[in-house]
Amino acid sequence: MKPFSYERASTPAQAAAAVAARPGARFVAGGTNLLDLMKLQIETPPHLVDVNGIGLDRIEPTAQGGLRIGALVRNGDLAADARVRRDYGVLSRALVAGASGQLRNMATTAGNLLQRTRCPYFYDTNMPCNKRVPGSGCSALGGANRTHAVVGGSDQCIATHPSDMAVALRALDATVETVRADGATRVIPIADFHRLPGNTPQLDTNLQPGELITSVTLPAPLGGTQAYRKVRDRASYAFALVSVATVLQRDGTGRVALGGVAHKPWRVEAADAELPRGARAVAQRLLAGAHPTEHNAFKLALAERTLAGALAERRS
Ligand code: SF4
């Protein structure tokens, strides 16, 4: 690990200012991904700003009937919150499907959104990777790419986003609130928070340097039957090959988002309109224009079947 300096912030504004003052500085909270990346020298921030003492660790009702989740609420606490379990079952189930109990007790809401791809070449510093070293090439394009994206990729990167929580947030149309060092705040729809790789695969999100996530807001409860189905190579502690988040209403309408298929949580609003026609119609619309590789084409059929299972959970 490269040497770095460290400080603890006591307010969000102080944290944002501290990171803005040091080029390359990073926020750290649970550290469940960042510290691994630092040990492997994939990320080498010269300075860490610990945000564990800045508050933002509560889940509060909003005036609109939803919930505001502080950026530092731990994944385990969020999954277990009675309001989340009752009104946002898709989110609770997605959280429990992620990582391990130990990691969920450390990982935060903001950190979950900011975790980086688990593409094996991203973690192998002997191999070219445009996300790690822009312009160096993409080892996955002609390599082992069974777990990679089938839609939304580019000739620069076909990595997937690893978060389960973010897929549920996409189905719920959550928003992400941030603050910058100058005190400016903004609200980012979750649909616009993560990026597709394009020609800049090194950028995972649309956050600006030094911009601090302060909370994630859920809309008023959507009701319906909510499900999160995750298919992976082993029963626990593994990332999704394909996952499906659904919010299904009795009248046949609903929302669907996919994980494990793209560089960001994948939702195509037009696919929601296909729900009355069944899983095949929805999957075809969701994955229109897909460019699978020789090794991951199975994800197209897997997504349809996983979706069919989720649709079968709809209450009669
Ligand atoms: Fe790197 Fe993306 Fe290619 Fe993986 S898919 S090797 S993360 S550029």
Side-chain angles (χ1 to χ4, degrees):
M1 185 183 281
K2 298 253 181 169
F4 61 92
S5 52
Y6 170 90
E7 70 176 285
R8 290 191 179 103
S10 55
T11 67
Q14 184 189 4
V19 165
R22 290 285 297 271
R26 294 289 305 273
F27 303 112
V28 64
T32 56
N33 190 206
L34 179 60
L35 297 187
D36 284 345
L37 293 167
M38 290 174 66
K39 290 175 191 170
L40 293 165
Q41 298 189 12
I42 295 166
E43 297 213 20
T44 54
H47 187 64
L48 289 185
V49 177
D50 188 328
V51 294
N52 284 296
I54 66 172
L56 306 180
D57 56 356
R58 300 177 62 179
I59 304 170
E60 298 171 317
T62 67
Q64 293 73 33
L67 288 179
R68 181 172 296 109
I69 304 160
L72 294 166
V73 172
R74 306 288 157 168
N75 288 179
D77 292 336
L78 183 58
D81 184 272
R83 295 161 293 183
V84 174
R85 286 168 57 92
R86 182 189 66 216
D87 296 328
Y88 306 96
V90 64
L91 176 58
S92 184
R93 290 173 70 167
L95 284 159
V96 171
S100 64
Q102 292 93 334
L103 286 167
R104 292 194 294 272
N105 286 340
M106 285 300 296
T108 63
T109 302
N112 191 314
L113 289 174
L114 296 174
Q115 63 180 303
R116 309 210 67 188
T117 185
R118 264 55 174 196
C119 170
Y121 300 111
F122 179 67
Y123 288 81
D124 184 346
T125 54
N126 293 311
M127 299 296 288
C129 170
N130 286 324
K131 185 178 283 295
R132 178 169 29 80
V133 182
S136 63
C138 172
S139 298
L141 283 171
N145 49 39
R146 176 176 170 273
T147 62
H148 288 69
V150 295
V151 67
S154 73
D155 60 2
Q156 300 276 307
C157 178
I158 54 170
T160 56
H161 195 270
S163 172
D164 294 294
M165 181 191 82
V167 182
L169 293 180
R170 183 67 184 89
L172 293 167
D173 270 342
T175 56
V176 182
E177 292 80 40
T178 69
V179 65
R180 291 188 300 228
D182 61 4
T185 61
R186 64 172 175 152
V187 177
I188 307 170
I190 190 73
D192 300 330
F193 184 81
H194 295 103
R195 297 167 58 94
L196 292 178
N199 293 323
T200 53
Q202 70 274 20
L203 301 176
D204 293 337
T205 74
N206 285 314
L207 288 178
Q208 297 174 3
E211 191 170 10
L212 174 71
I213 297 173
T214 51
S215 61
V216 171
T217 296
L218 305 178
L222 300 173
T225 301
Q226 302 188 12
Y228 187 77
R229 288 199 166 209
K230 178 177 180 180
V231 181
R232 44 190 156 175
D233 280 329
R234 60 185 180 217
S236 69
Y237 198 36
F239 295 93
L241 292 170
V242 165
S243 67
V244 175
T246 51
V247 179
L248 304 172
Q249 307 297 339
R250 290 189 182 194
D251 63 3
T253 62
R255 302 174 176 197
V256 178
L258 298 180
V261 299
H263 197 259
K264 61 188 288 187
W266 193 250
R267 182 164 171 223
V268 177
E269 272 79 356
D272 296 346
E274 301 288 347
L275 276 166
R277 297 178 55 210
R280 175 153 299 179
V282 177
Q284 285 178 346
R285 185 61 70 98
L286 271 170
L287 299 171
H291 286 288
T293 69
E294 175 188 354
H295 303 295
N296 70 8
F298 72 94
K299 287 192 176 188
L300 302 182
L302 187 61
E304 181 184 327
R305 290 176 192 153
T306 309
L307 180 56
L311 296 186
E313 292 192 34
R314 189 190 333 230
R315 292 193 197 99
S316 59

